[in-house]
Amino acid sequence: MTDYRWTRLSTADATSWAALVNHLADVDGTEEYLAAEDLREELESTSLDPAEDTWAVWDGEQVVAFGLAHCSSNLSHEGQVRTFVEGGVHADHRGRGLGTELMDRLEIRARDRAAAMHPEQPGYLSAGGQTEGSSARALLFERGYTVARYFNALTRELREAPEPPAVEGVTLRSPVPADETPVHSSHDVAFRDHWGSAPTSEESWRERWTSRSNRHDVSTLAVDDRSGEVLAYVLCGQWVDRELYVNLVGTVPAARGRGLAAACLARTIALAIETGSYDLIDLDVDSSSPTGATRLYERLGFRLKRTTAAMRRDLQGFPES
């Protein structure tokens, strides 16, 4: 451990950090590729204090491990504090205790942030368990985490557009800047019954809405012709060349069963094909989604790529820092 140098992450580290993140996307099979610009944007988020919530482990001039700890500003719909830890270790530097040391620091930081932001409230630590048999999942099991949910990564080639379902009383269109607040309101209503969700703060939504990765030109809203309410939405982004990613799909409960999400997604697929800029469209979906979303995507031509796990453990029980 004494051969490594530990620092906090800063925007100046983004290029080396991105090299590690993209190495992990390859060796761990997550395909979660990010550019240095995306990571700089993450460090500038109002939900993260890089000087307290991040770590970088250096071998010479190379970042070989990193970690981040987050705490949500809002309680979940079940009244729990949501904290998140994430990170990774370069494949050539595994087995040397870096992952364990990172998790020790991340968990205590997450616990301390939760206590400061939401005193006396119950909560949990959440971490990505990757695929079955991964080193990340093994480490988390050792630390008392259990699989809380499975998520399916789906993909579809962008060759032929699906036949759009007929919908009445709505207009399908792409988002414009003035839609930021209406879509935020609809999203909080649409996800109220989704596992692990919480109301999104205005600051977090603003950052999400204005992110450099967004592709609003191929995103779709279903807007009620009478009230002007956003009833359903498909919001997309891009991190990989020629691949479109669906960040969010939602329908407010009162409008479910009308095929609005399918109509929005069919329009987005058609737009993406029309641009000629994309070969694939990808998304991740809760395998136990209350809206039956996996079946919806299969009908639109998506196929399963892999299944990953979301893992949790209680925040209580950590030693005092």
Side-chain angles (χ1 to χ4, degrees), residues 13 31 35 45 54 58 82 105 112-113 116 128 141 159 168 174 186 216 225 257 259-260 271 285 294:
D13 305 325
E31 299 183 23
S45 168
T54 72
W58 299 79
R82 305 183 308 155
R105 300 184 184 206
D112 290 348
R113 283 205 71 186
F141 276 137
R159 295 180 178 176
E168 297 181 355
S174 296
S186 294
H216 284 170
D225 288 338
L260 298 182
L271 287 175
V285 60
T294 299

Side-chain angles (χ1 to χ4, degrees), residues 298-314:
E298 290 172 346
R299 289 196 298 271
L300 290 171
F302 285 84
R303 61 176 177 80
L304 178 67
K305 281 203 300 185
R306 62 183 172 274
T307 298
T308 57
M311 301 182 70
R312 285 183 179 178
R313 64 162 293 179
D314 287 342

Side-chain angles (χ1 to χ4, degrees), residues 18-28 33 89-92 94:
L20 172 60
V21 167
N22 294 326
H23 161 79
L24 296 173
D26 285 329
V27 299
D28 294 329
Y33 301 101
V89 178
H90 193 285
D92 294 341
R94 293 175 181 174

Side-chain angles (χ1 to χ4, degrees), residues 80-302:
Q80 290 191 298
V81 182
R82 305 183 308 155
T83 65
F84 307 87
V85 293
E86 61 176 300
V89 178
H90 193 285
D92 294 341
H93 295 263
R94 293 175 181 174
R96 305 181 187 182
L98 292 178
T100 297
E101 176 65 17
L102 271 171
M103 287 298 293
D104 287 344
R105 300 184 184 206
L106 292 169
E107 288 174 342
I108 290 175
R109 175 56 182 166
R111 190 279 314 275
D112 290 348
R113 283 205 71 186
M117 295 172 66
H118 308 283
E120 308 299 326
Q121 293 290 333
Y124 56 82
L125 280 156
S126 182
Q130 296 186 8
T131 57
E132 182 73 30
S134 67
S135 59
R137 194 177 299 188
L139 175 63
L140 292 169
F141 276 137
E142 289 176 2
R143 301 184 71 89
Y145 291 75
T146 60
V147 173
R149 206 76 161 190
Y150 290 100
F151 284 82
N152 294 329
L154 308 179
T155 190
R156 184 193 194 278
E157 292 184 348
L158 290 172
R159 295 180 178 176
E160 296 183 0
E163 186 68 28
V167 293
E168 297 181 355
V170 300
T171 296
L172 302 180
R173 61 171 177 81
S174 296
V176 297
D179 292 317
E180 178 181 345
T181 297
V183 178
H184 182 190
S185 298
S186 294
H187 173 69
D188 279 349
V189 172
F191 272 71
R192 191 171 293 156
D193 57 356
H194 282 55
W195 178 83
S197 65
T200 310
S201 70
E202 291 186 11
E203 294 82 4
S204 295
W205 185 261
R206 175 71 177 168
E207 290 168 358
R208 173 178 283 182
W209 187 261
T210 59
S211 172
R212 65 179 293 276
S213 61
N214 284 341
R215 296 295 181 266
H216 284 170
D217 59 321
V218 290
S219 299
T220 301
L221 307 181
V223 181
D224 187 271
D225 288 338
R226 292 185 177 181
S227 67
E229 179 187 2
V230 176
L231 301 179
Y233 52 89
V234 169
L235 302 180
C236 299
Q238 183 181 11
W239 287 270
V240 179
D241 185 43
R242 302 199 62 79
E243 292 185 17
L244 189 64
Y245 184 78
V246 178
N247 292 321
L248 290 172
V249 179
T251 304
V252 299
R256 290 176 186 168
R258 295 171 56 184
L260 298 182
C264 287
L265 192 51
R267 178 183 182 273
T268 282
I269 292 170
L271 287 175
I273 292 172
E274 185 178 336
T275 68
S277 299
Y278 309 100
D279 298 322
L280 297 171
I281 182 169
D282 298 331
L283 56 84
D284 289 272
V285 60
D286 183 342
S287 63
S288 301
S289 170
T291 61
T294 299
R295 296 188 298 275
L296 159 67
Y297 301 133
E298 290 172 346
R299 289 196 298 271
L300 290 171
F302 285 84

